Amino acid sequence: MSFGPCWDMLVYMTEATDNPIHGARAKARCDALGVPPYSDQKDGLFRPYLGPAHHATLGCIAQWMDEAGMSVEIDAVGNIVGHYAGIPADAPVLLLGSHVDSVRDGGRYDGMLGVMLGIETVAFFHAQGRRFPFAIEVIGFGDEEGSRFSTYMMGSRSAAGLEQEIDDTIRDSEGITLHRALADWGLSVQRFGTARRQNVLAYLEAHIEQAPHLERAARPLGLVRGIASQYRYRVTFTGLADHAGTAMGERRDALAAAAEAIVSIEAVGAAGPDDLVTTVGVLQVENGAPNVVPGQVVMTMDIRAVTPGAREAAAGEIRSMLDALSRKRQVTVQVERIQDLQGALCDETLNRMLGEAIVETTGEEPPLLLSQAGHDAMVMARCAPMSMLFIRCAGGISHNPAESVTVSDVEAAFDTLTRVIEKFGEDR
């Protein structure tokens, strides 16, 4: 496997910045991994789980982990893990990480920046010959986005030791089964349990903020208080396909019912606590035509909240609304829940340490933020205390080629991570 194109770009980009090196290099490496062969898309970034670009990317990451003083493994679910031993050799583990996969037409820093910062942090201590009473591991999760298969967070779920039911029929858009894709990498669902990380003291994740709060506050870094729980549904409205000349009072219009439902779903989100959000992201009209009253419409519905019980209350209110709408418009409404992600609150002790490190780095108290986006951290909270560091992203734009961070902000995140690791060592 050749690393030439990636490394040549890094030399050019890092030489252009004398200091600070760690923030510049972390950003440059993300940029280098944003083009083929580290993308399966010629004119943008698309790095799906277990695809060719994923494979090529792990080759680069493995090289950089090795140069940073880590031993490297690819676990049974396709996560890449770098291990920097502590003293003693069997010391417990402080885990740093994020994901390496991307959505189609994604940005270069979502997920990947957290992995690169983890490597830079270990490289910093390795260059000084420093070890701690705990090991440091950097993990790059393989399947956070679910952009290839109808799965989600298989990497972190396996690392956290959670059992997963994998449907034998799961296929990608080209008809390749998940089992086949795993087998091509020498992996299998039966071995997912071996990917569980052992003896984890804590998990820290650095990630771009996928909202504009830090930019509006003119702050480089933020401290995350919690990550929203998520429900995702497939909602099917079935009325009666009929001629467009049918009298208005005689119609069973599935699209009109869906339109009314969308407005009501938005209203439920707007009326709830500030951390409640409701979204309809996909709307499909079956066999639609200009001269046909739509007979069936399928849409997705996403409900997220951090406040305990807010997601569940909103889901109940929306279900009642859909039942009433069904009767009113004489259509049937089928609601299928297709995803249930449990959110998590960040650990108070870790947040105190991380907050102190941010103040020491920036000279300012960090904004305390909520994450409406899902992260591997919410899963890893099931096995260890967890905290997250947000990095300012221009306009809060994410999952988009327009993602943009500055070297100085990334360097501030690097300084914060090294400080918090040192604080962690003092407490051991």
Side-chain angles (χ1 to χ4, degrees):
M1 183 180 296
S2 172
F3 302 106
C6 184
W7 188 251
D8 288 346
M9 185 181 296
L10 295 179
V11 171
Y12 172 78
M13 297 181 73
T14 54
E15 283 181 349
T17 306
D18 294 331
N19 190 46
I21 185 63
H22 292 287
R25 188 163 63 181
K27 182 178 183 300
R29 286 176 167 175
C30 291
D31 291 334
L33 295 174
V35 297
Y38 313 105
S39 170
D40 289 337
Q41 182 178 323
K42 292 182 180 180
D43 57 350
L45 176 59
F46 181 41
R47 189 183 301 118
Y49 177 54
L50 302 180
H54 185 194
H55 190 273
T57 298
L58 294 194
C60 267
I61 294 175
Q63 176 185 334
W64 297 331
M65 285 179 166
D66 177 72
E67 291 168 351
M70 291 180 270
S71 59
V72 185
E73 68 166 310
I74 307 296
D75 70 17
V77 72
N79 299 322
I80 187 167
V81 184
H83 181 88
Y84 186 68
I87 302 173
D90 62 348
V93 173
L94 174 62
L95 192 59
L96 311 177
S98 194
H99 62 96
V100 303
D101 64 325
S102 82
V103 297
R104 188 178 294 277
D105 291 316
R108 295 179 174 184
Y109 309 107
D110 175 37
M112 186 61 75
L113 185 57
V115 179
M116 295 301 103
L117 279 168
I119 294 173
E120 289 298 326
T121 301
V122 173
F124 173 77
F125 292 121
H126 177 60
Q128 299 176 4
R130 295 180 64 182
R131 302 278 175 173
F132 297 92
F134 50 85
I136 304 173
E137 287 188 347
V138 179
I139 186 166
F141 297 110
D143 174 55
E144 195 259 8
E145 300 289 7
S147 58
R148 181 178 181 186
F149 299 101
S150 58
T151 56
Y152 61 95
M153 299 188 183
M154 284 193 296
S156 51
R157 287 165 66 85
S158 295
L162 304 180
E163 292 188 5
Q164 303 183 65
E165 294 184 7
I166 306 299
D167 191 333
D168 291 344
T169 65
I170 292 176
R171 299 175 182 270
D172 66 10
S173 61
E174 297 179 355
I176 299 173
T177 66
L178 173 58
H179 287 278
R180 170 65 184 275
L182 287 165
D184 288 345
W185 279 44
L187 309 174
S188 70
V189 170
Q190 287 71 31
R191 296 186 58 249
F192 275 12
T194 66
R196 179 175 185 174
R197 305 318 301 168
Q198 301 295 329
N199 201 11
V200 179
L201 287 171
Y203 174 80
L204 297 176
E205 181 168 348
H207 200 284
I208 58 170
E209 187 198 10
Q210 295 167 297
H213 304 301
L214 286 174
E215 186 174 70
R216 290 173 182 167
R219 301 289 183 86
L221 306 175
L223 186 61
V224 179
R225 181 171 71 84
I227 306 170
S229 296
Q230 304 174 24
Y231 279 147
R232 188 168 298 166
Y233 297 88
R234 181 182 295 110
V235 184
T236 303
F237 298 84
T238 303
L240 178 66
D242 211 340
H243 194 282
T246 302
M248 300 303 292
E250 297 177 3
R251 299 184 178 202
R252 294 170 55 197
D253 190 329
L255 182 56
E260 184 173 341
I262 291 169
V263 173
S264 297
I265 290 167
E266 181 185 46
V268 170
D274 289 343
D275 59 281
L276 174 66
V277 291
T278 54
T279 305
V280 173
V282 175
L283 189 69
Q284 298 174 327
V285 181
E286 302 297 321
N287 301 316
N291 60 344
V292 175
V293 175
Q296 187 172 83
V297 170
V298 180
M299 73 181 194
T300 60
M301 178 175 65
D302 188 294
I303 306 172
R304 306 184 182 203
V306 178
T307 300
R311 174 188 66 154
E312 292 76 10
E317 184 176 350
I318 291 171
R319 287 299 298 264
S320 296
M321 176 273 295
L322 291 174
D323 288 342
L325 183 64
S326 172
R327 294 189 295 271
K328 170 186 171 183
R329 288 190 169 270
Q330 299 184 63
V331 298
T332 61
V333 182
Q334 180 181 3
V335 181
E336 177 189 5
R337 192 165 71 196
I338 56 178
Q339 185 168 294
D340 178 1
L341 286 177
Q342 293 294 323
L345 295 177
C346 294
D347 181 78
E348 291 183 1
T349 300
L350 283 178
N351 268 21
R352 174 184 54 78
M353 296 169 62
L354 190 55
E356 290 173 355
I358 294 173
V359 171
E360 292 169 7
T361 298
T362 67
E364 298 177 309
E365 287 287 341
L368 192 59
L369 304 171
L370 297 174
S371 177
Q372 299 292 0
H375 301 283
D376 290 299
M378 64 199 291
V379 178
M380 295 307 294
R382 307 282 288 276
C383 75
M386 170 277 294
S387 185
M388 285 194 73
L389 172 70
F390 270 175
I391 304 164
R392 176 168 50 188
C393 185
I397 298 172
S398 182
H399 283 189
N400 185 304
E403 277 182 6
S404 179
V405 295
T406 66
V407 168
S408 60
D409 286 358
V410 178
E411 184 70 14
F414 163 77
D415 286 341
T416 297
L417 287 175
T418 57
R419 290 174 189 272
V420 80
I421 288 172
E422 289 172 336
K423 290 177 181 293
F424 207 79
E426 293 169 359
D427 284 357
R428 293 298 103 189

